[in-house]
Amino acid sequence: MPISYYIFLAVIIFSIGVTGVLTRRNAIIVFMCIELMLNAVNLLLVAFSKMHYQRMLALDPANITAGTEGQLFVFFIMVVAAAEVSVGLAIIVLMYRNVHSVDINFLNRLKN
């Protein structure tokens, strides 16, 4: 498959995530949209890593580790996303206990 298909799919997924973050007020949906954006970046990293691997393999067939950097970045992004989800869900649970809603506009009340 050409790399342009991966880029087009990643742009669609990322734009859905950005639209969801900017338009929704539910904190859980906002976190899901942030995860969509991270997954779009992961898709691009893996696609470019594969493209780089194929190019390096054509130049030097003995180099079997070429192009793995993007896949390592994906692993670290997934770890950061899992940490973000755990902290974010803990904040949402505490917010729901205090305010009885997961609406983001109620976060202004927590300042007082």
Side-chain angles (χ1 to χ4, degrees):
M1 275 176 62
I3 195 75
S4 60
Y5 293 161
Y6 293 111
I7 294 172
F8 182 69
L9 180 63
V11 165
I12 289 173
I13 293 172
F14 193 84
S15 62
I16 290 171
V18 168
T19 304
V21 166
L22 294 177
T23 60
R24 298 296 180 166
R25 295 179 185 213
N26 190 343
I28 296 173
I29 294 176
V30 169
F31 278 118
M32 287 173 41
C33 291
I34 291 172
E35 291 297 321
L36 273 176
M37 292 188 294
L38 288 174
N39 285 331
V41 171
N42 284 341
L43 175 66
L44 279 179
L45 281 172
V46 170
F48 285 127
S49 174
K50 181 182 173 189
M51 182 184 71
H52 180 67
Y53 174 73
Q54 290 173 345
R55 183 177 297 152
M56 292 303 291
L57 195 61
L59 294 176
D60 184 17
N63 191 1
I64 60 171
T65 62
T68 58
E69 295 88 8
Q71 295 170 4
L72 288 174
F73 278 128
V74 167
F75 175 72
F76 287 118
I77 289 173
M78 290 174 73
V79 169
V80 169
E84 174 218 348
V85 166
S86 63
V87 171
L89 288 177
I91 291 171
I92 289 172
V93 167
L94 288 175
M95 186 178 80
Y96 185 77
R97 284 183 185 172
N98 291 334
V99 185
H100 299 293
S101 176
V102 289
D103 191 5
I104 294 177
N105 290 332
F106 286 120
L107 289 177
N108 290 332
R109 293 183 184 175
L110 297 176
K111 290 180 183 178
N112 297 330

